[in-house]
Amino acid sequence: MARTSARQRELAIRAALGAGHGRLIQQFLVESFALSLAARMLGILIAAGGLRILPVILPQTYHVRRESPSTPRFSYSLWPQR
């Protein structure tokens, strides 16, 4: 709730200072893209770390298949899904 009111206040100040509708939308899109990219990169790092840790944690009866990340798989993970 407090976050929303702070965001509304920020938008009101930007609009009062002359930021147009398009500029505000551009700001939202850039912020969303940056957060999305950071989250995806963090997810890739966590997954890579998990692939290294899982064989140590799991008993030897389980087989963990390790594959090197290929470009198509990596680029698919960066492409926005519908």
Side-chain angles (χ1 to χ4, degrees):
M1 200 71 149
R3 194 178 225 173
T4 303
S5 65
R7 190 65 172 180
Q8 286 177 341
R9 183 178 297 132
E10 176 191 350
L11 291 175
I13 291 171
R14 288 183 183 277
L17 291 175
H21 185 71
R23 181 69 176 135
L24 295 175
I25 290 175
Q26 180 185 9
Q27 176 188 352
F28 281 126
L29 290 175
V30 169
E31 288 176 3
S32 296
F33 179 76
L35 284 172
S36 171
L37 185 63
R40 289 175 186 202
M41 295 307 291
L42 182 63
I44 289 170
L45 288 174
I46 290 172
L51 283 176
R52 291 178 188 256
I53 292 174
L54 274 178
V56 174
I57 295 174
L58 292 176
Q60 294 299 322
T61 56
Y62 293 105
H63 176 69
V64 178
R65 190 174 72 181
R66 294 196 54 181
E67 295 181 16
S68 62
S70 64
T71 304
R73 287 186 201 150
F74 181 70
S75 58
Y76 179 77
S77 71
L78 293 178
W79 193 258
Q81 302 300 309
R82 293 182 185 203

